[in-house]
Amino acid sequence: MQRERISDSVYVFTSELYVQVTASVILTSEGAVLVDTLLYPEETLQMKHFIEDRLGAHVRYVINTHHHADHTMGTCFFPGAQVIAHRLCYDLLDTRVRESLARTQATSSDFAEVRIVLPHILFEDRMTLHLGNRTISLWHSPGHSMDSLVCAVEEEQILFAADTVMPIPHFANGSYDSILRSIEALRGRNYDIIVQGHGEVILRGEIEDRLQEDVEYLEKLRSAVDRAIGTAPAPTRLSKALEGIRIEACGKSKILLNGAAQTLHRQNVLALAQQRRQTLYPTDQLLEGTDGR
Ligand SMILES: [Zn+2]
């Protein structure tokens, strides 16, 4: 796990075990707020020791930016904290994540101590958390998943974008239209730093270019998918045409996130093809034979 202090009140922790997933702590005069936890207990516990023992801070709140396990599996290691999430996160944790944790625990001892913590404080569109000398705004930012949120420390203009901003946008478990809208909504807002859900922090001078690049990726991807559907509507030929949509042609590098970007891109292509084909040919059958699983 890597640790970086990015402002007076914020440290960012980046996993070395699972696709550079990040978690952060915001220190206030009345205690600390965690934005996500890390996937493996080993890394979340390192983070906890640093915050509690080295910084002497008490974690009052944990924000779950969305239900995915890589962001929520460590919540249980902060039993005294109130957990904040979007309204939709509650059921997703209680069903999907609970089931997948049980499956994982049946085969691996890494997660033996982990249990699901359901959020205590839920919101729909936005909420504000005042704690000590810090104001944290949270708002719904769907697309990567339908329960995704982002939050910002107003006094420092730091945005915790979670998986709304990753080195490559990823919407295969969410919605293309929503993530495009959610990324657009972050533009022109004068942030000093954006903390991504995975990968390095983005500094002020890089933010507009990066958000522009993400929007362009999504637009190029949609043009390519629509072209593939237009030229090869039959499912078997479409599958081949979709395979030809390269990540580089959409303006991103396949080496991002230690190579995981390539997998995320393939999932995006297939998910978008499903969504677009339904829009363009609503009476046709869904794609067959295009899901590589
Ligand atoms: Zn993630």
Side-chain angles (χ1 to χ4, degrees):
M1 184 190 73
Q2 288 175 4
R3 185 182 74 229
E4 186 181 0
R5 184 172 197 171
I6 62 166
S7 75
D8 278 353
S9 64
V10 177
Y11 287 84
V12 177
F13 306 87
T14 306
S15 174
E16 291 173 311
L17 300 176
Y18 186 81
V19 282
Q20 297 170 36
V21 65
T22 68
S24 305
V25 64
I26 303 162
L27 304 168
T28 84
S29 55
E30 298 291 332
V33 180
L34 277 190
V35 183
D36 283 337
T37 58
L38 298 170
L39 175 63
Y40 285 98
E42 174 190 341
E43 290 193 318
T44 297
L45 289 170
Q46 281 174 32
M47 182 171 96
K48 177 183 164 81
H49 289 313
F50 177 77
I51 295 166
E52 292 180 352
D53 304 334
R54 295 266 305 276
L55 300 178
H58 171 56
V59 175
R60 301 270 309 273
Y61 296 92
V62 176
I63 296 170
N64 287 164
T65 62
H66 60 302
H67 66 287
H68 290 165
D70 51 337
H71 302 260
T72 55
M73 284 296 99
T75 309
C76 61
F77 298 108
F78 300 89
Q82 293 278 296
V83 181
I84 305 175
H86 184 261
R87 180 181 62 78
L88 295 172
C89 183
Y90 188 100
D91 279 346
L92 291 163
L93 279 171
D94 202 18
T95 54
R96 270 188 229 180
V97 182
R98 194 183 290 287
E99 286 154 23
S100 82
L101 175 62
R103 281 196 300 276
T104 307
Q105 284 174 330
T107 57
S108 152
S109 60
D110 286 343
F111 297 90
E113 309 152 70
V114 173
R115 59 180 181 80
I116 300 293
V117 179
L118 296 175
H120 310 102
I121 301 168
L122 300 170
F123 70 94
E124 182 76 45
D125 293 325
R126 53 178 61 241
M127 74 170 269
T128 306
L129 176 67
H130 297 279
L131 187 65
N133 57 347
R134 288 291 178 266
T135 312
I136 300 165
S137 305
L138 306 90
W139 63 100
H140 191 203
S141 179
H144 170 71
S145 63
M146 294 322 281
D147 66 331
S148 285
L149 63 80
V150 298
C151 55
V153 182
E154 298 299 341
E155 288 79 4
E156 295 181 300
Q157 286 298 299
I158 296 173
L159 176 75
F160 301 89
D163 287 1
T164 297
V165 182
M166 294 172 60
I168 173 170
H170 185 242
F171 57 86
N173 308 311
S175 147
Y176 175 91
D177 292 334
S178 298
I179 200 165
L180 187 55
R181 266 198 303 273
S182 288
I183 293 171
E184 287 281 16
L186 300 177
R187 300 181 71 179
R189 296 188 54 156
N190 211 24
Y191 293 115
D192 257 347
I193 298 177
I194 291 184
V195 180
Q196 309 186 79
H198 296 255
E200 292 173 1
V201 300
I202 311 170
L203 302 174
R204 177 182 274 279
E206 310 162 344
I207 290 174
E208 260 323 294
D209 285 352
R210 220 341 259 293
L211 296 177
Q212 171 74 25
E213 182 188 302
D214 287 359
V215 167
E216 279 174 14
Y217 167 80
L218 291 168
E219 287 171 345
K220 285 175 181 163
L221 185 69
R222 188 167 78 179
S223 304
V225 166
D226 282 357
R227 240 184 346 265
I229 293 173
T231 54
T236 42
R237 287 184 52 212
L238 176 55
S239 168
K240 245 209 143 37
L242 293 175
E243 274 169 37
I245 301 175
R246 290 168 47 251
I247 187 171
E248 291 87 349
C250 302
K252 291 283 186 183
S253 159
K254 65 182 172 200
I255 64 165
L256 292 166
L257 289 175
N258 300 330
Q262 179 73 352
T263 307
L264 299 177
H265 173 71
R266 298 290 0 137
Q267 292 171 351
N268 282 340
V269 169
L270 294 176
L272 184 57
Q274 293 273 11
Q275 291 169 26
R276 295 299 289 166
R277 202 157 184 276
Q278 273 173 297
T279 310
L280 298 170
Y281 303 98
T283 56
D284 275 18
Q285 286 183 314
L286 291 179
L287 290 176
E288 289 161 30
T290 50
D291 191 335
R293 283 173 297 187

